[in-house]
Amino acid sequence: LKERRFEMADEQLIAQLNTALQSEYKTIFQYVQNSYMVKGMRRPAMVQWLRAQVQKEMQDAFKLADKIVAVGGIPTTDVPEITHSTKSEVILRESLTLEEETIRAYQECIRLANERGDAALRVFLEGLLAGAEADAEEVRKMIEEE
């Protein structure tokens, strides 16, 4: 019975890790699209920032997908739908929402890793969470007006 409960916990953990991976995918595709679409005076800076963020998000997605395989799962290939905007203010607010979704997904993964008693996985996820939180903080600063 204990072994079966552990298997169910693993299935739940893998599903949540894949939810976090989908969040990373969505952020990647959204930032790429936004880097094409953004217009206005802020365009050069926004394109540069968005494309740099894509590189960071890709690294997180690679690490997370590798971890999903390591815990016995198959990384999702499902990409949630994205939006289309040309206004930098809208793009930044959407970016904050994406980062906050990713934060919540990682927090749930960490909760499940704790339930599983997997300290190494928890520490790994805390690193990804810290990165997402730092990104959200940066976006909040970009949204704020002087």
Side-chain angles (χ1 to χ4, degrees):
L1 181 65
K2 187 176 182 184
E3 186 175 311
R4 176 71 184 134
R5 206 174 77 199
F6 189 69
E7 287 175 21
M8 287 174 53
D10 285 352
E11 289 173 17
Q12 187 180 12
L13 175 64
I14 290 166
Q16 185 59 38
L17 291 170
N18 269 314
T19 296
L21 184 58
Q22 280 185 306
S23 185
E24 292 289 0
Y25 288 162
K26 183 177 181 179
T27 302
I28 290 163
F29 281 93
Q30 187 67 65
Y31 285 1
V32 167
Q33 181 70 0
N34 289 345
S35 78
Y36 305 147
M37 300 284 297
V38 67
K39 294 184 178 181
M41 295 283 295
R42 295 183 188 171
R43 179 179 165 71
M46 287 291 295
V47 168
Q48 184 178 3
W49 178 78
L50 287 162
R51 291 182 181 173
Q53 289 301 109
V54 167
Q55 297 303 312
K56 287 172 55 180
E57 300 293 341
M58 285 293 298
Q59 291 305 312
D60 289 347
F62 290 145
K63 291 177 197 173
L64 186 54
D66 285 341
K67 186 58 74 175
I68 291 168
V69 172
V71 299
I74 298 172
T76 186
T77 56
D78 295 335
V79 179
E81 198 169 318
I82 61 170
T83 62
H84 307 280
S85 181
T86 60
K87 298 180 186 297
S88 56
E89 296 84 12
V90 172
I91 288 169
L92 288 173
R93 291 194 189 286
E94 288 175 346
S95 297
L96 182 57
T97 298
L98 289 169
E99 295 298 343
E100 289 170 342
E101 287 173 7
T102 301
I103 288 167
R104 285 190 297 275
Y106 282 135
Q107 287 170 334
E108 181 62 14
C109 288
I110 290 166
R111 186 186 71 73
L112 293 170
N114 275 334
E115 282 183 7
R116 186 178 191 238
D118 192 334
L121 179 59
R122 186 196 79 237
V123 170
F124 166 79
L125 292 164
E126 286 172 347
L128 293 175
L129 174 62
E133 288 175 340
D135 289 344
E137 288 172 9
E138 193 62 26
V139 174
R140 282 186 198 98
K141 291 178 201 173
M142 294 169 72
I143 291 171
E144 289 177 8
E145 294 294 325
E146 290 185 42

